[in-house]
Coordinates of all heavy atoms in Angstrom, one line a residue:
L33 N 156.7 -42.0 267.6 CA 155.7 -40.9 267.2 C 155.5 -41.0 265.7 O 154.3 -41.0 265.2 CB 156.2 -39.6 267.6 CG 155.3 -38.4 267.2 CD1 154.0 -38.5 267.9 CD2 156.0 -37.0 267.5
Y57 N 152.5 -49.0 274.3 CA 153.1 -49.0 272.9 C 154.1 -47.9 272.8 O 155.1 -48.0 272.1 CB 151.9 -48.8 271.9 CG 152.4 -48.4 270.5 CD1 153.0 -49.4 269.7 CD2 152.4 -47.1 270.1 CE1 153.5 -49.0 268.4 CE2 152.8 -46.7 268.9 CZ 153.4 -47.7 268.0 OH 153.9 -47.3 266.8
Q81 N 161.9 -42.9 281.1 CA 161.3 -41.6 281.4 C 161.5 -40.5 280.3 O 160.6 -39.8 279.9 CB 162.0 -41.0 282.7 CG 161.5 -41.7 284.0 CD 162.3 -41.3 285.1 OE1 163.5 -41.0 285.1 NE2 161.7 -41.1 286.3
D93 N 150.2 -33.1 270.9 CA 149.6 -32.2 269.9 C 149.7 -32.8 268.5 O 148.8 -32.7 267.7 CB 150.2 -30.8 270.0 CG 150.0 -30.1 271.2 OD1 148.9 -30.4 271.9 OD2 150.8 -29.2 271.6
K141 N 146.5 -47.1 284.8 CA 146.3 -48.4 285.3 C 146.2 -48.3 286.9 O 147.2 -47.8 287.5 CB 147.3 -49.4 284.9 CG 147.1 -50.9 285.3 CD 148.2 -51.8 284.7 CE 147.9 -53.2 285.0 NZ 148.9 -54.2 284.6
L142 N 145.1 -48.8 287.4 CA 144.9 -48.7 288.9 C 146.0 -49.4 289.7 O 146.4 -49.0 290.7 CB 143.5 -49.1 289.3 CG 142.4 -48.2 288.7 CD1 141.0 -48.9 289.0 CD2 142.5 -46.8 289.2
T145 N 150.9 -54.8 287.9 CA 150.9 -56.3 288.2 C 152.4 -56.7 288.5 O 153.3 -56.5 287.8 CB 150.4 -57.1 287.0 OG1 149.1 -56.6 286.7 CG2 150.3 -58.6 287.4
G172 N 137.9 -47.8 278.7 CA 139.0 -48.7 278.5 C 139.7 -49.1 279.8 O 139.6 -48.4 280.8
S245 N 146.8 -56.0 271.4 CA 148.0 -56.5 272.1 C 149.3 -56.2 271.4 O 149.4 -56.0 270.2 CB 147.8 -58.1 272.2 OG 146.7 -58.4 272.9
F256 N 169.9 -53.4 273.4 CA 169.5 -54.4 274.4 C 170.1 -55.7 274.0 O 170.6 -55.9 272.9 CB 168.0 -54.6 274.4 CG 167.2 -53.4 275.0 CD1 167.0 -52.3 274.3 CD2 166.8 -53.5 276.3 CE1 166.3 -51.2 274.8 CE2 166.1 -52.4 276.9 CZ 165.9 -51.3 276.1
T303 N 121.9 -58.7 271.9 CA 122.4 -59.3 273.1 C 121.7 -58.8 274.4 O 121.4 -59.6 275.3 CB 123.9 -59.0 273.2 OG1 124.6 -59.5 272.0 CG2 124.5 -59.8 274.4
N341 N 141.0 -37.5 307.1 CA 139.7 -37.3 306.5 C 139.8 -36.4 305.3 O 139.3 -35.3 305.4 CB 138.7 -36.8 307.6 CG 137.3 -36.7 307.0 OD1 136.9 -37.4 306.0 ND2 136.5 -35.8 307.6

Side-chain angles (χ1 to χ4, degrees):
L33 177 65
Y57 164 77
Q81 287 173 321
D93 294 333
K141 188 176 183 182
L142 295 175
T145 305
S245 296
F256 289 84
T303 306
N341 184 23

